[in-house]
Amino acid sequence: MKDQLIGPLHFILFFLGSIGINYCLYRLFYGEFNLTHGECVSAIILFLCSIPIHEIIHGITCCCVSDNNWRTIKFGIDWRRFTFYCKYRNPIESPKDRIVVTLMPMIILAVIPCCLGLLFGSPCVVLFSSLSFGGASNDMCKAWKLLNMRNG
């Protein structure tokens, strides 16, 4: 039961932190953060569609930095938790590579869109990136643990 609560709690905390920071930055650059109902719905739909893409990015990155190939990577859905997953048959040996594989979806789906949304003044893209930061929250926690294992 505890594990089933940790994921959503991480999502909420990271989303709220991200939207708070992004809101302040957006207001600093553009004055107002106006989102229409349609833009909110669009950002949420785009985020939901990006969830399997998030896992595919893990798989592609894993293929690029390890001995895994498409035949050794398994994608699926855990219906009990209603979560998508990507599993690798061969372990990723390098701690640096494990961190890269863990964080790459956040870089592609959250960091880059956040920068573009702030650069071009798109609150819809900023909202999408904040949702994506929430979606990558468990990955960020995992990377933090990997860093602490390396340094401690």
Side-chain angles (χ1 to χ4, degrees):
M1 182 68 176
K2 179 183 170 190
D3 288 342
Q4 292 172 334
L5 296 175
I6 294 295
L9 181 61
H10 282 160
F11 176 89
I12 291 166
L13 293 174
F14 278 80
F15 168 71
L16 291 175
S18 173
I19 197 66
I21 292 167
N22 288 339
Y23 175 81
C24 291
L25 288 171
Y26 194 93
R27 292 277 319 259
L28 180 68
F29 296 136
Y30 300 103
E32 288 190 33
F33 190 86
N34 292 326
L35 270 171
T36 66
H37 180 71
E39 288 173 325
C40 284
V41 170
S42 296
I44 292 168
I45 290 171
L46 184 60
F47 168 70
L48 293 173
C49 292
S50 76
I51 293 170
I53 295 168
H54 174 113
E55 297 305 325
I56 291 168
I57 293 169
H58 280 306
I60 291 170
T61 308
C62 183
C63 286
C64 291
V65 301
S66 72
D67 294 334
N68 286 288
N69 59 41
W70 281 114
R71 285 184 228 113
T72 62
I73 295 176
K74 180 182 175 189
F75 298 97
I77 301 174
D78 180 350
W79 290 107
R80 288 176 292 143
R81 296 183 183 162
F82 196 67
T83 56
F84 290 83
Y85 65 84
C86 174
K87 290 186 179 180
Y88 330 114
R89 186 177 309 153
N90 303 325
I92 302 170
E93 298 299 327
S94 162
K96 178 188 77 118
D97 290 343
R98 275 187 248 138
I99 291 169
V100 169
V101 169
T102 301
L103 294 180
M104 190 57 69
M106 180 194 69
I107 293 166
I108 292 172
L109 295 173
V111 174
I112 292 172
C114 180
C115 293
L116 293 174
L118 290 170
L119 181 67
F120 295 111
S122 173
C124 181
V125 175
V126 170
L127 176 59
F128 166 75
S129 74
S130 294
L131 289 165
S132 295
F133 273 115
S137 60
N138 287 324
D139 291 342
M140 288 186 272
C141 292
K142 183 178 176 184
W144 180 258
K145 287 178 185 176
L146 288 169
L147 281 171
N148 286 335
M149 285 174 32
R150 246 177 99 192
N151 297 328

